Amino acid sequence: MTAMGSLILRTATRLLLPLLLLFSLFVLLRGHDEPGGGFIAGLVGATGFALYLFAFDAERTRSLMGVDPRLLLGLGLFAATVSGLPGTLLGHAFYTSLWWTPTLPLLGEVKLSTPLLFDIGVYLVVLGSVMTIVLALAGAEEKAEETTWNR
Amino acid sequence: MLLAVLSGFILCALAPWLTRSLGDRAGWLLAILPAGLFAYFLGWIPEVIETGAVTLQYPWIPGLDINLSFLVDGLSLLFALLISGIGTFIIIYAGGYLHGDPYLPRFYAIMFAFTAAMLGVVLSDNLLTLFVFWELTSITSYLLIGYHHEDKEARWCALQGLFVTVAGGLALLAGLLMLAVAAGGEYTLSGILASDGLQEYPFYTAMVLAILAGTFTKSAQVPFHFWLPNAMAAPTPVSAFLHSATMVKAGVYLMARLNPALGGTELWFYMLGIFGAVTMFTGSFMALRSTGIKAMLAYSTIMALGTLTMLIGIGTEAAIVAAMAFLLAHALYKAALFMLAGVLDHETGTKDITRMGGLRRAMPITFVTACVAALSLAGLPPLFGFIAKELMFEATLHGGALTTFTTVLALLSAIMIMAVAAIFALRPFIGARTETPKSPHEGPLSMLIGPVVLAALSLVFGVAAFIPEAALLQAAVTAVHGRPVDFHLYLWHGVNVPLLLSAIAIVIGLLAFRFWDAVLAGFRRMPFIDRLGPERGYERLMDGLVWLAEWQTRVLQNGYMSNYIITLVLTTVALTGWTLFVHTGTAIPLGDINVRIYEWFTVGLILAGALFATITGSRLTAVAALGMAGFGVALVFVEFSAPDLGTTQIMVETLTVILLVLVLYRLPAFVNFSSPGTRLRDALIAASFGGLMTLLILVVHDINVAEPISDQLVQWSYPEGHGRNIVNVILVDFRALDTLGEIFVVGLAAIGVYAMIQLRAEDRRQ
């Protein structure tokens, strides 16, 4: 993998990755009214990290992410499941959506809701799943390379 | 009542923690719950005697009209008292028997769940809740029988019991549903018992056979009896509980419960009468052949279950009275005997009765208790078992068409059981002291209190038979027979035929005991008995199942990706194509197809990509070409104003290319192994699939199965879902549960891929 990491790609990645991650958050949050949503946003985020993986290596990508993608996966499933509970607690059916639109300073009116929490769950699951697979594959690749070197 | 039934499940959750914190005294303290339940059920007696039956309802799933309803009458109360009463002693006993066992907390947890499930079976009024509790007893008993889970044999036995009872359970479910339909959609037992005309139901035979398949497997009737002796793999407290008051009695309970509704027909009479009598005989015969102390008792349980089934089948007033008396007598002595067998096993270190002898001095209390309980098993006065046995003879002597058959088998069984009882009570204790693996001494209080109290009750109920009669048996007989029966239990019935039969049984039985070694040797010369038997059939069936599974795995899961794809594609083409042909005929609507110039361009892009991918000689080119086709599809989505789909498609294509590039390096060289013939075949299959999809798209516009829901979703999107992106509103709000399922699949797939990669990596390292 190291062979792929040219200087240009590395430099560009350093600039592109934050933009891609910001964009994925943007796509996630606008998703309810404009094209977007948790699924696409998760894929965008994963693409960003995959780019970083190509520019550097699996180990550095992992440390950049800070959390194990498997944990993201689990957290996402948890968030998506839990988002159905508030409705149940208020006596409605499971996954009845609840909305809360407080007015915050600077931001103005904000739409907060259980579907938003659900969508964040979807986002984390997609991001976590793709990164789990990609990092595992890349990691296995690098280990295979190491063993060939050592031989 | 709700709390009474469910308290076992609550304690099941707390038991592991309680057992750890209470230490040695855990058994005594945990027994407070079943003891409390026993007292609670005792409190119901006056009301049941007065009103006959009480039903209680608690809403459970009100939307589906499913209630947790309970039916308390003589029969369910008799069972509930046996379960909670004997359960109390079993819990105490287990504290002594499994003292210091690291899995004791787990044992108590399963035990309480099992007890609660059993109470649920006998107290449920709703057929569906009854069935749920019924299956819960199968599952929890599986865990109890397989308690020594490191032992392969124990696991095998537990699994056998589970398979047999759960297979029967499936039949039972069908039978119960038919029963509900026959009763006009009535799902409560109380309602079914009150409705008449069930015997005229057109599928009466099928219904009865299905229900009996459930009860016969559960109650270990021939030819399903083989799982019960194997269930001895369980620790003794479990065996004592399963055999005396619970599990196997569930089948008897259901037959007794449904007797007023289903009984009175020839089918019922002959099925129960014949199978019951044969089971009774088989059980006592196998008991006499056994030398293992628990095996003996297990087979004698089969005898008892057969007797009960037979008596319910005969169905006369006398037979029902006999059945209820026998049920009570058997529960009392069998629990006591099993617990004593556990004491002997625990203190001597062997289960083989031929290796025990002269223990009366070392274990005097055990000896006396064993004698009392065995007298009840043998049916000797003045024990309660004697009354039950006399009533049984009385019933078989008036057994209608089966009189001779049942009476002869009953007499033979009585002879053999007499011998078995004598062997159990005397053989380990009298004669010369033999060497045993452990030096024997009297068992601890926790292990003796149960047998002593239960054996004493056998004696008290025998001498003062009016106590159980007035308190319970009258009400129970009324419930089973459907109307009140006037009867009184006495120890002394005068000199009559049953007494004569008893006398014959005692004399020949004692002779068999005297010459038991010779009898055993005789049985050993007949090894063909072992080779017969339905257990072989069970083994064959299981082997066949495994063979079938292996065969279909070899055929379907053969590891060749191309075969998987061919199977999937051809199945889809055949099934979908068939449906398409049947529904639309051969007419292909070509209508007016307007294609714009840029659409031609997109189509050309996709086609070129796909074509190039199939003919290229380089893997990397193939990946890139497929990517081109994918991006073309994304363009189509965008052209038809589905930006969400388009973006998703682009992201997926990108990631697919990334993943492929990551694995490309690992793949072997890209060589073409396939012959031109194979390639032609693949091309044909691919073309058929592509053609089918094209046809589908063409006709799908003309087929309108139902009014499309999409217009409504568009309308609701903003007012109901607070969002203008309909796709997203559907995903996260309208159909959130579907999406939840999907993301779970995504997550599981990721974990699966991860596990496979890691496993391979580990294999490499080794």
Side-chain angles (χ1 to χ4, degrees):
Chain A
M1 214 50 58
T2 39
M4 281 183 146
S6 74
L7 186 59
I8 298 171
L9 185 60
R10 287 184 182 201
T11 318
T13 303
R14 286 214 176 90
L15 287 171
L16 278 173
L17 178 62
L19 287 177
L20 276 168
L21 290 181
L22 268 180
F23 181 64
S24 84
L25 286 180
F26 167 71
V27 171
L28 165 69
L29 294 177
R30 82 201 279 256
H32 214 57
D33 288 324
E34 309 288 334
F39 198 82
I40 305 173
L43 290 173
V44 173
T47 326
F49 283 116
L51 183 67
Y52 193 82
L53 172 74
F54 274 86
F56 299 94
D57 58 12
E59 207 42 59
R60 288 176 68 179
T61 315
R62 210 168 273 136
S63 67
L64 176 82
M65 286 185 78
V67 277
D68 191 326
R70 286 173 296 167
L71 182 66
L72 289 182
L73 204 173
L75 278 178
L77 289 179
F78 182 73
T81 314
V82 162
S83 77
L85 291 179
T88 323
L89 291 180
L90 291 180
H92 305 292
F94 193 53
Y95 277 129
T96 306
S97 57
L98 295 177
W99 292 82
W100 184 49
T101 44
T103 315
L104 297 180
L106 298 177
L107 293 171
E109 204 183 63
V110 187
K111 270 163 72 175
L112 296 177
S113 64
T114 51
L116 180 65
L117 181 61
F118 185 86
D119 221 8
I120 294 172
V122 174
Y123 173 77
L124 291 176
V125 170
V126 172
L127 180 62
S129 301
V130 175
M131 288 320 291
T132 303
I133 298 177
V134 169
L135 282 178
L137 275 173
E141 192 80 350
E142 278 160 26
K143 259 177 215 137
E145 269 170 28
E146 273 164 34
T147 38
T148 2
W149 280 129
N150 293 344
R151 244 181 254 154
Chain B
M1 180 58 76
L2 187 64
L3 185 67
V5 173
L6 298 184
S7 57
F9 291 118
I10 299 167
L11 202 58
C12 160
L14 299 176
W17 173 78
L18 282 174
T19 316
R20 269 186 216 108
S21 48
L22 294 177
D24 279 358
R25 300 241 160 262
W28 292 94
L29 289 167
L30 287 173
I32 294 172
L33 175 83
L37 287 176
F38 182 75
Y40 170 76
F41 289 125
L42 273 183
W44 272 91
I45 290 180
E47 196 175 341
V48 166
I49 289 179
E50 198 161 313
T51 56
V54 185
T55 51
L56 302 150
Q57 279 196 351
Y58 303 88
W60 182 18
I61 311 174
L64 295 176
D65 269 342
I66 296 182
N67 292 320
L68 270 178
S69 50
F70 299 104
L71 171 64
V72 191
D73 64 359
L75 181 66
S76 48
L77 207 53
L78 173 62
F79 269 93
L81 283 169
L82 286 176
I83 294 165
S84 53
I86 295 179
T88 307
F89 293 121
I90 298 287
I91 296 289
I92 299 173
Y93 180 85
Y97 186 83
L98 293 170
H99 185 79
D101 189 305
Y103 296 129
L104 191 61
R106 183 192 302 174
F107 172 84
Y108 278 129
I110 308 171
M111 198 70 183
F112 280 118
F114 175 71
T115 313
M118 213 42 227
L119 284 174
V121 169
V122 298
L123 289 165
S124 280
D125 190 29
N126 186 299
L127 284 184
L128 297 179
T129 47
L130 183 145
F131 179 76
V132 170
F133 283 123
W134 178 283
E135 294 294 64
L136 274 176
T137 63
S138 290
I139 296 168
T140 43
S141 67
Y142 162 71
L143 294 172
L144 287 174
I145 297 169
Y147 175 73
H148 297 297
H149 60 270
E150 303 93 345
D151 183 4
K152 193 169 174 238
E153 185 77 4
R155 289 203 306 271
W156 190 86
C157 293
L159 208 55
Q160 189 187 47
L162 183 74
F163 282 149
V164 174
T165 52
V166 168
L170 279 178
L172 178 72
L173 178 61
L176 290 181
L177 290 178
M178 278 195 265
L179 186 61
V181 173
E186 181 63 65
Y187 276 91
T188 60
L189 277 171
S190 42
I192 287 167
L193 293 174
S195 68
D196 33 48
L198 288 175
Q199 281 92 343
E200 277 80 55
Y201 179 58
F203 301 108
Y204 173 79
T205 310
M207 172 172 77
V208 167
L209 290 182
I211 291 176
L212 290 186
T215 58
F216 279 13
T217 46
K218 195 80 159 184
S219 280
Q221 300 293 307
V222 169
F224 306 113
H225 63 282
F226 55 86
W227 73 266
L228 186 57
N230 288 339
M232 289 181 313
T236 305
V238 176
S239 307
F241 201 33
L242 288 187
H243 283 251
S244 59
T246 61
M247 186 66 182
V248 292
K249 290 286 179 67
V252 172
Y253 164 77
L254 197 59
M255 287 187 277
R257 169 59 78 209
L258 295 175
N259 182 52
L262 297 178
T265 59
E266 288 202 340
L267 179 74
W268 186 263
F269 175 73
Y270 282 111
M271 282 298 289
L272 268 65
I274 293 177
F275 277 94
V278 171
T279 306
M280 169 178 72
F281 176 76
T282 313
S284 35
F285 176 70
M286 297 300 279
L288 191 59
R289 279 185 74 232
S290 311
T291 56
I293 193 160
K294 282 178 77 180
M296 250 175 173
L297 293 176
Y299 281 116
S300 78
T301 303
I302 294 181
M303 178 281 294
L305 295 169
T307 310
L308 288 169
T309 306
M310 176 187 78
L311 288 173
I312 295 171
I314 293 174
T316 55
E317 288 185 358
I320 301 298
V321 173
M324 290 302 107
F326 197 89
L327 180 81
L328 178 61
H330 173 253
L332 293 177
Y333 70 68
K334 185 51 61 70
L337 289 174
F338 250 114
M339 287 196 253
L340 290 171
V343 174
L344 284 172
D345 164 26
H346 198 254
E347 301 303 329
T348 62
T350 177
K351 285 190 173 72
D352 190 342
I353 203 162
T354 54
R355 291 176 62 190
M356 301 175 195
L359 294 170
R360 68 184 177 285
R361 275 186 213 293
M363 308 169 80
I365 305 176
T366 311
F367 175 48
V368 173
T369 319
C371 283
V372 175
L375 281 176
S376 194
L377 166 68
L380 288 183
L383 277 299
F384 191 60
F386 172 70
I387 299 179
K389 180 154 287 190
E390 295 290 282
L391 287 169
M392 193 240 327
F393 278 132
E394 183 68 36
T396 59
L397 285 169
H398 300 94
L402 289 174
T403 298
T404 323
F405 180 69
T406 50
T407 308
V408 169
L409 287 183
L411 181 61
L412 288 173
S413 306
I415 292 170
M416 291 187 282
I417 286 302
M418 175 69 227
V420 169
I423 293 163
F424 186 91
L426 302 176
R427 181 79 185 213
F429 300 103
I430 56 168
R433 178 75 175 273
T434 54
E435 274 307 304
T436 49
K438 279 200 226 166
S439 79
H441 48 82
E442 196 57 89
L445 175 64
S446 58
M447 291 175 68
L448 285 175
I449 180 167
V452 168
V453 170
L454 293 172
L457 276 179
S458 286
L459 188 61
V460 171
F461 284 177
V463 176
F466 60 88
I467 299 176
E469 178 202 309
L472 271 175
L473 295 180
Q474 287 279 9
V477 168
T478 308
V480 180
H481 199 257
R483 54 187 173 277
V485 177
D486 189 34
F487 70 94
H488 293 285
L489 303 180
Y490 299 109
L491 208 50
W492 179 247
H493 280 257
V495 180
N496 52 13
V497 186
L499 189 71
L500 199 69
L501 291 175
S502 281
I504 297 173
I506 291 165
V507 172
I508 306 184
L510 285 177
L511 281 174
F513 163 65
R514 176 72 184 77
F515 301 106
W516 186 46
D517 292 322
V519 174
L520 267 185
F523 284 139
R524 284 210 192 90
R525 279 196 294 277
M526 294 186 282
F528 60 88
I529 298 171
D530 290 328
R531 260 181 282 126
L532 298 169
E535 190 164 9
R536 284 296 155 121
Y538 168 82
E539 281 167 16
R540 288 267 161 76
L541 192 72
M542 294 321 278
D543 288 348
L545 209 60
V546 171
W547 178 85
L548 188 72
E550 280 173 354
W551 173 80
Q552 70 96 20
T553 309
R554 268 198 309 277
V555 171
L556 293 177
Q557 309 284 337
N558 51 18
Y560 290 104
M561 192 63 173
S562 57
N563 284 10
Y564 290 157
I565 294 176
I566 289 176
T567 315
L568 284 176
V569 166
L570 283 184
T571 315
T572 315
V573 169
L575 292 179
T576 319
W578 170 256
T579 317
L580 188 67
F581 179 75
V582 167
H583 280 283
T584 64
T586 44
I588 301 164
L590 281 171
D592 49 334
I593 300 173
N594 288 324
V595 187
R596 300 198 185 98
I597 184 77
Y598 58 87
E599 289 170 348
W600 279 118
F601 172 74
T602 319
V603 170
L605 194 71
I606 298 172
L607 278 179
L611 208 62
F612 199 65
T614 53
I615 55 172
T616 180
S618 142
R619 191 173 271 135
L620 198 60
T621 323
V623 170
L626 274 181
M628 189 166 89
F631 281 114
V633 173
L635 265 181
V636 174
F637 287 144
V638 174
E639 280 162 15
F640 285 89
S641 59
D644 273 317
L645 275 177
T647 341
T648 312
Q649 176 77 16
I650 289 175
M651 299 316 301
V652 169
E653 283 304 326
T654 315
L655 282 168
T656 313
V657 171
I658 291 176
L659 284 175
L660 279 171
V661 167
L662 278 177
V663 289
L664 267 186
Y665 179 75
R666 317 288 308 266
L667 295 174
F670 196 54
V671 187
N672 191 358
F673 286 112
S674 52
S675 66
T678 329
R679 306 201 83 182
L680 185 66
R681 180 200 66 188
D682 293 350
L684 283 176
I685 292 171
S688 72
F689 192 61
L692 175 80
M693 292 315 285
T694 315
L695 271 180
L696 266 182
I697 302 278
L698 284 175
V699 298
V700 85
H701 263 289
D702 295 343
I703 301 175
N704 240 346
V705 182
E707 202 61 27
I709 196 174
S710 48
D711 298 339
Q712 302 240 289
L713 290 179
V714 172
Q715 273 180 18
W716 289 336
S717 179
Y718 197 74
E720 300 277 327
H722 297 261
R724 278 183 295 273
N725 180 357
I726 306 153
V727 178
N728 188 260
V729 171
I730 294 174
L731 279 177
V732 301
D733 194 345
F734 292 166
R735 317 215 53 171
L737 208 56
D738 290 358
T739 314
L740 183 74
E742 281 154 22
I743 57 176
F744 264 95
V745 171
V746 169
L748 281 174
I751 291 166
V753 170
Y754 177 80
M756 279 197 291
I757 296 170
Q758 294 303 90
L759 275 178
R760 268 189 72 99
E762 268 170 36
D763 279 354
R764 288 272 165 95
R765 238 165 281 154
Q766 288 159 4

